[in-house]
Amino acid sequence: MKSGVSLYHGKVAQRMYDIRKLLFICLAGVSFSLGVIGLFLPVMPTTCFMLVAVWAASKSSPRFANWIRRHPRFGPSILAWERERAIPRHAKWMACVMLAVSMGVIAFTVDSLALRVALIIGLTGIAVWILTRPTPSLGRCPVLSSFEESSSSQRQESR
């Protein structure tokens, strides 16, 4: 009898694991899709959605997570954040410009003074946080840096 109960709990545990894995892969896919949309819509962020996609994919599909990390467009920012908690300079300024535009829109469209002030203070805090993050080492992309190091070592080996 005990083995039957154990077998039942094993199946339930496996089913829960499968459901959890499915939820994470769905979250990764939706986040990735929103990040791609962010490439074309200036008011929609890309990197934060890609970070969520990599995190969720790491829990469900390491192959998908590694594909995002190696992607020529998304990979450098993702790797800079994962390795150094750094944000590239161009991404900082783009984010701050978008935050400033958002603050301007809020200032002229939100009727409630308290809500307007709270939103602008919150967005200012986000901008300060973004600007205080470090830039990637040497201000360069970690992927390109590692590529340049490997290609320079290959050149020296061929001499």
Side-chain angles (χ1 to χ4, degrees), residues 62-77:
R63 191 170 133 204
F64 183 40
N66 288 332
W67 180 82
I68 296 171
R69 284 184 183 103
R70 288 190 205 115
H71 193 277
R73 175 74 172 110
F74 310 123
S77 296

Side-chain angles (χ1 to χ4, degrees), residues 26-48:
C26 288
L27 178 61
V30 168
S31 297
F32 181 80
S33 299
L34 290 172
V36 170
I37 291 169
L39 286 174
F40 304 103
L41 294 177
V43 295
M44 185 118 164
T46 298
T47 304
C48 63

Side-chain angles (χ1 to χ4, degrees), residues 114-127:
L115 181 59
R116 186 179 334 147
V117 169
L119 288 171
I120 290 174
I121 288 172
L123 292 178
T124 301
I126 292 170

Side-chain angles (χ1 to χ4, degrees), residues 152-159:
S152 67
S153 66
Q154 288 174 352
R155 278 182 278 177
Q156 290 190 4
E157 288 175 4
S158 64
R159 290 182 185 174

